Amino acid sequence: MISKDAGPASSGKNRNLRRLTAAIIGIALLITVVIVAPKAWDALIVAVPATWSWFLRQDITPGRGTIIGGFFVVVAAAIAYTGTHLTRTSNQRNADRSHNRADLQELRRRFVSTTAQFADLSPEVRLAGVYALEALTDDWIERGRHTDAQTCINYLCGYLTRPYTPPTENPTLRRRTTRTYRTKYDYTDNVYEHPKDDLNVRQAITRTIANHLPPNHHHSWSNYNYDLTGAYFHNADFTGCHFRGAIDFTGANFHGEQTSFDNAKFLGSQTSFSQARFQSNKTSFDNAKFYSNRTLFNFAQFSSQRVYFDQAEFRGELTSFNNADFDGEETSFSYAKFKSTWQTSFFFVDFHSSSETSFTFAEFRGKHAFFSHALFYGKYTSFVSAKFNSKETSFDFTDFHGEETRFYRAQFLSTKTSFVFPRSWNNVYFDWDTPVPYAATAPKSDKIVPHHWPPPTLEQND
């Protein structure tokens, strides 16, 4: 039998439970809106009263209320966890930022202290600075700070461009200066400058740079720029190095037993060896690849006994040896390739793009100058006003496949100059066979072979 008081009591308890549930839901929604969309106040004003009114109208039993309350407890816990996680993440981010800032400051302090070593009088201290700066450059690269890495490389290059005076025969004295002082009592004194020879430091810098330029190095320096204008090198070895940035050896001096750029690749927009002086016993660019738009050896002086560009490849828009002097006993461009830049399209590859190879006013001395088996495949090749003073000059089996090759005003002063069996002879012009309507301006020398002119190509001979 149901008590008369049971109805009102049960109804009151249900109303209290509904009010409690509505309050929890309202608070949860308020927290959710504030966290998720703190600017959506219009939604908050509409949602809270509507939710409150809806729950007051519901007949929620104690079981359902427990489930709903548990659900919102879980929601509140999730919100609390999310807030804690966001706080932890923010704190970690701030800590990482502070650590990185401190790390960068420490690296920059290392740069200042390391570069100070290069001003020390002791070559050993400067040598230690080279390796310290190498490690610092690698650290910058690991952090992706390429501008700072370039700064370190610039400093190393700058040291090589400092003036260098080889020590005199006296290893303990480089120069003695006598000074006279005009005072009440005239007197003179001598100032002795002892050598601070840093050749080992320069060689260490050169080796350090070269060691980081092969393509498979884990801390590659190939993509950076190298301004080595007027630098001094002794036994420089850049074999297999890849230069992808701008490279400038203008006015550089190469001394020692051997200078090697064998198998090197020059991939930047411009490569310059203009006015460089190669005075090593041997200078070698064998199998080097020059893919720069402009490759310049203008006014370069090759005083090495042997100069080799065998199998070198020049693919830029301009390759220039204008006014270059080859004074060594042997100069060889055998099997060298002077090709056009590749012009690609969707359907084909065009090898006949605009390119120029120029040896205008170049001079070849010594015993031998070889261009045998060379390939000239550019739009325009110039030997205008070139001088061939070598004992023997050879263009045997050369491939003149470009649109035009000019030897106007070239001087063939060699005992023998040979153009025997060219592989192709396409629009090659000399002073004695200037194309119509121009008239020949000089006779063909008897020292130039073959006597039958123009020379038959290898294919014609077969």
Side-chain angles (χ1 to χ4, degrees):
M1 184 175 180
I2 302 175
S3 172
K4 294 181 180 179
D5 298 332
S10 176
S11 178
K13 291 179 180 180
N14 288 338
R15 282 196 300 271
N16 293 333
L17 183 59
R18 286 198 299 270
R19 290 169 182 170
L20 177 61
T21 304
I24 294 174
I25 293 175
I27 293 173
L29 288 175
L30 177 62
I31 295 174
T32 302
V33 172
V34 170
I35 293 177
V36 177
K39 295 184 179 180
W41 299 112
D42 293 339
L44 179 63
I45 293 173
V46 173
V48 173
T51 303
W52 182 274
S53 175
W54 179 79
F55 272 102
L56 288 179
R57 294 195 303 269
Q58 303 303 311
D59 186 12
I60 301 177
T61 63
R64 293 180 179 178
T66 302
I67 294 174
I68 294 174
F71 171 75
F72 283 105
V73 168
V74 173
V75 172
I79 293 173
Y81 172 78
T82 302
T84 303
H85 176 71
L86 292 175
T87 302
R88 187 186 304 112
T89 303
S90 178
N91 292 338
Q92 183 64 39
R93 189 182 299 112
N94 291 333
D96 291 342
R97 189 180 295 111
S98 299
H99 175 74
N100 290 337
R101 188 181 301 110
D103 195 18
L104 294 179
Q105 291 175 349
E106 176 59 26
L107 290 175
R108 291 198 169 98
R109 280 194 294 267
R110 281 174 55 189
F111 177 79
V112 174
S113 60
T114 299
T115 53
Q117 293 180 247
F118 288 85
D120 197 280
L121 297 178
S122 172
E124 288 75 16
V125 176
R126 282 174 278 164
L127 189 62
V130 174
Y131 301 120
L133 200 56
E134 175 190 13
L136 179 59
T137 305
D138 292 341
D139 288 342
W140 282 126
I141 293 175
E142 287 184 356
R143 289 161 176 78
R145 307 280 298 193
H146 300 293
T147 301
D148 294 288
Q150 180 69 67
T151 300
C152 296
I153 292 173
N154 290 346
Y155 192 90
L156 291 174
C157 293
Y159 190 94
L160 292 176
T161 60
R162 296 178 184 179
Y164 176 76
T165 303
T168 60
E169 295 180 0
N170 185 348
T172 61
L173 179 65
R174 173 172 293 174
R175 185 172 61 186
R176 182 180 66 181
T177 304
T178 301
R179 298 183 301 183
T180 301
Y181 297 88
R182 301 297 181 182
T183 62
K184 182 178 181 181
Y185 303 99
D186 294 344
Y187 68 94
T188 60
D189 66 359
N190 293 319
V191 177
Y192 298 92
E193 180 182 344
H194 293 277
K196 303 172 185 176
D197 189 38
D198 61 350
L199 183 58
N200 59 338
V201 179
R202 293 173 181 267
Q203 290 179 314
I205 293 175
T206 304
R207 287 194 303 270
T208 297
I209 293 175
N211 289 341
H212 285 269
L213 291 178
N216 57 349
H217 197 283
H218 59 285
H219 287 124
S220 176
W221 296 5
S222 292
N223 293 326
Y224 297 99
N225 302 325
Y226 293 87
D227 184 359
L228 293 163
T229 304
Y232 180 90
F233 297 95
H234 189 87
N235 290 333
D237 186 1
F238 290 97
T239 301
C241 293
H242 287 197
F243 298 91
R244 298 183 180 277
I247 179 71
D248 193 350
F249 284 97
T250 300
N253 297 273
F254 297 90
H255 295 261
E257 296 296 321
Q258 179 172 336
T259 296
S260 176
F261 285 89
D262 293 345
N263 298 295
K265 286 187 177 181
F266 300 87
L267 305 166
S269 59
Q270 176 167 307
T271 298
S272 176
F273 285 89
S274 296
Q275 301 178 24
R277 290 178 287 275
F278 297 90
Q279 299 177 356
S280 305
N281 292 337
K282 177 184 177 183
T283 297
S284 180
F285 284 85
D286 283 351
N287 204 39
K289 303 292 191 297
F290 297 88
Y291 294 158
S292 303
N293 291 334
R294 295 166 58 87
T295 298
L296 307 177
F297 283 86
N298 297 331
F299 294 94
Q301 298 179 11
F302 295 88
S303 301
S304 303
Q305 293 299 310
R306 292 167 293 170
V307 177
Y308 296 127
F309 283 86
D310 293 344
Q311 295 183 316
E313 193 168 333
F314 302 86
R315 284 190 177 272
E317 295 178 1
L318 172 64
T319 299
S320 178
F321 285 84
N322 292 343
N323 297 94
D325 284 335
F326 298 88
D327 297 331
E329 290 188 5
E330 183 175 341
T331 299
S332 178
F333 284 86
S334 296
Y335 293 92
K337 300 177 179 64
F338 299 87
K339 290 188 174 183
S340 305
T341 53
W342 289 3
Q343 295 284 336
T344 60
S345 71
F346 187 77
F347 295 105
F348 61 89
V349 178
D350 180 15
F351 292 93
H352 294 276
S353 59
S354 176
S355 68
E356 178 180 349
T357 299
S358 180
F359 285 85
T360 302
F361 289 104
E363 187 166 356
F364 298 87
R365 302 184 183 92
K367 292 183 179 180
H368 305 285
F370 294 132
F371 284 88
S372 54
H373 296 274
L375 171 63
F376 295 93
Y377 209 134
K379 180 178 181 180
Y380 175 67
T381 300
S382 171
F383 285 89
V384 174
S385 298
K387 293 182 180 180
F388 297 94
N389 292 324
S390 302
K391 184 177 180 181
E392 180 183 0
T393 300
S394 174
F395 284 88
D396 294 343
F397 304 100
T398 302
D399 194 335
F400 294 102
H401 205 85
E403 295 184 20
E404 184 176 356
T405 301
R406 297 181 181 179
F407 283 87
Y408 297 155
R409 296 185 299 278
Q411 299 182 33
F412 298 95
L413 306 176
S414 305
T415 304
K416 179 183 178 182
T417 300
S418 177
F419 290 87
V420 172
F421 297 137
R423 293 183 177 273
S424 61
W425 190 266
N426 186 43
N427 297 327
V428 183
Y429 301 115
F430 294 78
D431 289 338
W432 53 86
D433 59 2
T434 305
V436 177
Y438 302 102
T441 59
K444 176 177 171 292
S445 171
D446 293 337
K447 296 180 180 180
I448 299 176
V449 295
H451 298 294
H452 177 71
W453 202 264
T457 64
L458 185 63
E459 182 178 350
Q460 292 172 342
N461 183 68
D462 293 340

